[in-house]
Amino acid sequence: MYCRFCGTKTPDNVKFCPECGASLAPAPSAAPEESAPAVPAAPEIPVSPAPAPYSAELSDPVGGIAAPQRGMKWFKFIIYFQLWASMLVNLAAAAKYFTGAYYEGNAGMVYDFFPALQPLDIVMGVFCLALAVYAVVVQRALAKFRAKGPMMYYLTYIVSTAGTALYLLIGSIILGQSAFTAEVAGSIIGSIVMLFVNIPYFNNRKHLFVNP
């Protein structure tokens, strides 16, 4: 046989290699590995998908309660047209009050007969300028969904109607006759109606107006 360490040929009955001195005893065989007992796999538990979160438009940001979806066409009309148109109308009205253009070229004569009308018209012109500026402020508040935006919008109707009514009342006293006309009365009634139409409209969408 041959030494398994140095490869020298040795007699069969020799226990040690005459060349390197290594033991020639047969190497112990490796014990067979015991296989670990199989562990049954745990059954899979089905996991239900997490519910989708409510969208900002459909949920109540305070209570987390879903709110019905509401149309926003009227809101877009308000912020993209009505309030800008209101600004332009009030600017034009202010110019007419300042120049007396409402009297169709007879401002000088009217003011001669009723001198108290001129300061009243100037005050009304300043009032219309303030309404024009306020319309822009309200537009920005609504467009940014500020919590106070709807109330500011209601005030445009309230203040405008009250200012017009007060102007006509004082004008009637100065003239000694009623300055209220059917057209003016219709405009005032229309403003009141629009106020009561818009209050429930914005109340149904108050979950959207949460910004400070």
Side-chain angles (χ1 to χ4, degrees), residues 149-161:
M151 180 56 68
M152 294 173 64
Y153 180 65
Y154 305 153
L155 286 176
T156 60
Y157 287 104
I158 297 172
V159 174
S160 176
T161 302

Side-chain angles (χ1 to χ4, degrees), residues 3 14 24 48 58 60-61 64 97 100-101 107 123-124 155 172 183 187 200 204 206:
C3 175
V14 176
L24 299 179
S48 59
L58 300 181
D60 182 347
Y97 282 117
V123 171
M124 191 63 181
L155 286 176
S172 298
E183 181 180 355
S187 176
N204 289 333
K206 62 183 179 181

Side-chain angles (χ1 to χ4, degrees), residues 109-152:
M109 184 177 63
V110 171
Y111 291 150
D112 286 341
F113 278 98
F114 306 100
L117 276 180
Q118 189 168 12
L120 178 63
D121 286 345
I122 293 175
V123 171
M124 191 63 181
V126 173
F127 177 73
C128 289
L129 279 179
L131 286 179
V133 174
Y134 186 67
V136 178
V137 174
V138 174
Q139 194 276 342
R140 299 312 303 153
L142 288 177
K144 293 182 178 180
F145 293 93
R146 299 193 186 280
K148 60 184 179 181
M151 180 56 68
M152 294 173 64

Side-chain angles (χ1 to χ4, degrees), residues 175-201:
L175 294 173
Q177 61 182 10
S178 177
F180 289 88
T181 63
E183 181 180 355
V184 172
S187 176
I188 293 175
I189 294 173
S191 295
I192 296 173
V193 170
M194 290 304 299
L195 173 63
F196 285 100
V197 167
N198 279 289
I199 288 175
Y201 177 85

Side-chain angles (χ1 to χ4, degrees), residues 60-104:
D60 182 347
V62 177
I65 302 173
Q69 187 175 10
R70 305 286 183 177
M72 299 297 286
K73 290 183 179 179
W74 177 246
F75 173 75
K76 292 178 180 179
F77 173 80
I78 290 173
I79 65 173
Y80 293 128
F81 178 77
Q82 186 189 37
L83 289 171
W84 292 114
S86 175
M87 178 199 69
L88 296 176
V89 169
N90 280 294
L91 287 177
K96 289 184 177 181
Y97 282 117
F98 286 139
T99 60
Y102 276 113
Y103 305 108
E104 300 178 350

